[in-house]
Amino acid sequence: MRIAIASGKGGTGKTTVATNLSLVAAESGITAAYIDCDVEEPNGHIFLKPTIEDTHAIGAMIPLVNEKACIHCGVCSDICLYNAIVCMGEKVLVYPELCHSCGGCSLLCPAGVITEVSSEIGNVKFGNSGKIKFVAGYLKIGQPSSPPLIRAVKNRIPEADIVFVDAPPGTACAPIEALRGCDLAVFVSEPTPFGLHDLKRAVETARAIDIPCVSVINRSDIGNGDVQAYCIDEGIPILAEIPNDRTIAENYARGEMICETSARYKELFSELLSRIQSAAGQNLQGVHQS
């Protein structure tokens, strides 16, 4: 069971939810894994404090053109959705910072003059936090494209009963890459106009790639009730509402998980875990039946 903990915007409490869910799952006897795909700003390690056992450097494949043999047909330029390779007259320009490493240009080049070379973009770290299996990606400073690293992180997900994928915020390429292949998206939002706007975009994105979604409303006693009303209207189950509690903020500032210091919140996240398992299980059952 692979659960994406996602959000339409940053700062909603996504990592707080993901790490605490991982903890209560592991303590209940479930084999749990926490996967930090927020590779531009990974911070799950601050709270889980894993023992890192291994680190792998990750490279992205970048096109290399043999200009002497190139027939300058422009096929590579035509098929690249990101304008990472451009044929201009008798010259082919490659922009590595725009490349998403899809391999299309190399595959479709009629003259066979495009090969791919590896360029290091970051690393993946593996370890354990108690009974929680830990994997996290760290994008190299200055690298503008994170999807290849996110794919590398997801390709290294360990065996576990339940996997929590801490996705990047937003609705661009990086969060979409993190959501792919997940059984359920848990969108963490807050009841404010900005929260509602970004939740709508996130839900539309998940539906576009056929990922069922549920919601968790953080700081639920601020703002207004528009987010709750939207979820009801759209048939998006609200699995938990977390209050705007100073205790949670203080624990976060100390790099601690609220489930370790508060019986009240341990119970809240335990109930949330049960509801997530139920929601994901129902969706998986529907997929198998269809």
Side-chain angles (χ1 to χ4, degrees), residues 87-111:
C87 184
M88 301 183 67
E90 298 296 307
K91 183 72 175 177
V92 178
L93 304 177
V94 176
Y95 299 95
E97 65 275 9
L98 299 179
C99 182
H100 280 55
S101 303
C102 71
C105 57
S106 174
L107 181 66
L108 297 179
C109 176

Side-chain angles (χ1 to χ4, degrees), residues 30-131:
I30 300 171
T31 305
Y34 170 85
I35 313 299
D36 200 341
C37 285
D38 192 0
V39 299
E40 295 183 48
E41 195 174 1
N43 63 347
H45 63 277
I46 296 174
F47 306 97
L48 290 173
K49 300 174 177 60
T51 300
I52 300 301
E53 299 173 350
D54 200 4
T55 301
H56 291 179
I58 301 299
M61 302 307 291
I62 304 299
L64 178 66
V65 181
N66 181 352
E67 289 275 12
K68 293 182 179 179
C70 181
I71 61 176
H72 302 99
C73 61
V75 170
C76 57
S77 181
D78 292 340
I79 65 101
C80 185
L81 297 176
Y82 305 100
N83 299 314
I85 184 166
V86 180
C87 184
M88 301 183 67
E90 298 296 307
K91 183 72 175 177
V92 178
L93 304 177
V94 176
Y95 299 95
E97 65 275 9
L98 299 179
C99 182
H100 280 55
S101 303
C102 71
C105 57
S106 174
L107 181 66
L108 297 179
C109 176
V113 301
I114 301 178
T115 56
E116 293 181 296
V117 295
S118 180
S119 174
E120 185 175 336
I121 59 171
N123 60 66
V124 180
K125 296 185 178 182
F126 307 84
N128 292 282
S129 174
K131 297 179 181 179

Side-chain angles (χ1 to χ4, degrees), residues 220-253:
S220 59
D221 46 353
I222 66 171
N224 52 43
D226 290 349
V227 166
Q228 288 91 335
Y230 166 75
C231 290
I232 293 170
D233 290 342
E234 291 294 318
I236 302 168
I238 301 172
L239 301 191
E241 296 192 20
I242 304 171
N244 185 35
D245 188 340
R246 181 184 176 92
T247 304
I248 298 176
E250 290 175 349
N251 275 257
Y252 184 91

